[in-house]
Amino acid sequence: MDSNKYLEDITEIKSMMSRSSRFISLSGLSGILAGVYALIGGYLGYLILYPSFWKFDTYEEIQLTLLAVALGVVVFAVLTAMLLTFRKAKRSGEKIWNVSSRRLLVNFLIPLGAGGIFVLLLLRLEYWMLIAPATLLFYGMACLNASKYTFGDVRYLGITNIVLGLLATYFTGYGLLFWILGFGVCHVLYGSMMYFKYDRR
């Protein structure tokens, strides 16, 4: 009987240590909304690339407009994630800025920052066809790298985006489609899963 109680105590201590080492205030709803923003951005990208009523004089104008749309998606997604994560942390009584959140942020930003620089170099060298695959690959690596400091589901989101990035590299003419799948559909699916699994408790 005492040995069973001892094992239960050890299990509870391990569970507490695991929770304390992970940032658990990530909002599933923010993932859903990020996916919605990406779907809207993808639709705008389709209209830009296959104009029905938007007309562009040069190819450079098309690329700059696409870049502006992508940056808009990122800004809205980041602001939404910050707002909803802060709200969830406040509700659960967790500090928004602690050891776990700092580790999460650092491990997420290192691959993402490298990817941002790489994409800028691609833009400079005019390798337009590799931009969508590169964003998927580096974002996937960022999620994979940060997943050990938050929910394990983020790991699978990262792996999925890496696979989509590799496929987009091979099927270069379908970069926008893979971008919509990775940043739009996958975010909605994984965000919904995380929302029903964690946020509604």
Side-chain angles (χ1 to χ4, degrees):
M1 192 72 178
D2 290 339
S3 61
N4 288 337
K5 182 67 168 60
Y6 176 75
L7 288 174
E8 288 177 6
D9 290 343
I10 293 294
T11 303
E12 181 62 26
I13 290 170
K14 287 175 66 177
S15 176
M16 289 173 62
M17 290 177 66
S18 176
R19 287 196 300 270
S20 66
S21 66
R22 292 174 180 267
F23 184 68
I24 59 172
S25 287
L26 284 182
S27 169
L29 184 58
S30 68
I32 297 171
L33 291 174
V36 171
Y37 300 150
L39 290 173
I40 294 171
Y43 177 68
L44 292 175
Y46 176 82
L47 293 179
I48 293 166
L49 289 173
Y50 308 99
S52 55
F53 55 91
W54 287 345
K55 303 295 181 184
F56 297 92
D57 295 326
T58 64
Y59 191 68
E60 285 70 24
E61 286 183 8
I62 294 175
Q63 299 298 334
L64 288 174
T65 307
L66 284 173
L67 185 61
V69 170
L71 287 174
V73 169
V74 171
V75 169
F76 277 108
V78 169
L79 290 177
T80 301
M82 289 174 61
L83 178 64
L84 294 180
T85 298
F86 179 80
R87 189 178 71 171
K88 185 180 176 184
K90 191 175 181 180
R91 282 181 178 176
S92 62
E94 185 182 9
K95 290 182 178 180
I96 193 72
W97 190 244
N98 54 31
V99 174
S100 298
S101 62
R102 286 196 292 272
R103 287 175 177 171
L104 170 66
L105 192 62
V106 168
N107 281 272
F108 183 75
L109 287 179
I110 290 173
L112 200 68
I117 295 170
F118 185 72
V119 167
L120 289 175
L121 292 172
L122 291 177
L123 284 169
R124 177 179 171 81
L125 297 171
E126 298 186 357
Y127 292 144
W128 309 108
M129 302 292 278
L130 293 177
I131 290 174
T135 55
L136 287 165
L137 283 168
F138 280 97
Y139 179 72
M141 287 187 283
C143 289
L144 189 62
N145 201 42
S147 63
K148 53 185 173 286
Y149 300 107
T150 185
F151 300 118
D153 307 80
V154 176
R155 174 183 179 85
Y156 301 107
L157 176 63
I159 292 171
T160 304
N161 275 277
I162 290 171
V163 171
L164 288 172
L166 292 172
L167 289 171
T169 305
Y170 185 79
F171 300 102
T172 51
Y174 298 92
L176 179 62
L177 175 61
F178 285 108
W179 194 90
I180 291 171
L181 285 173
F183 290 106
V185 176
C186 284
H187 265 114
V188 171
L189 291 176
Y190 279 94
S192 299
M193 184 174 66
M194 289 178 66
Y195 176 77
F196 287 106
K197 192 173 180 180
Y198 305 110
D199 294 7
R200 295 190 65 184
R201 287 181 177 180

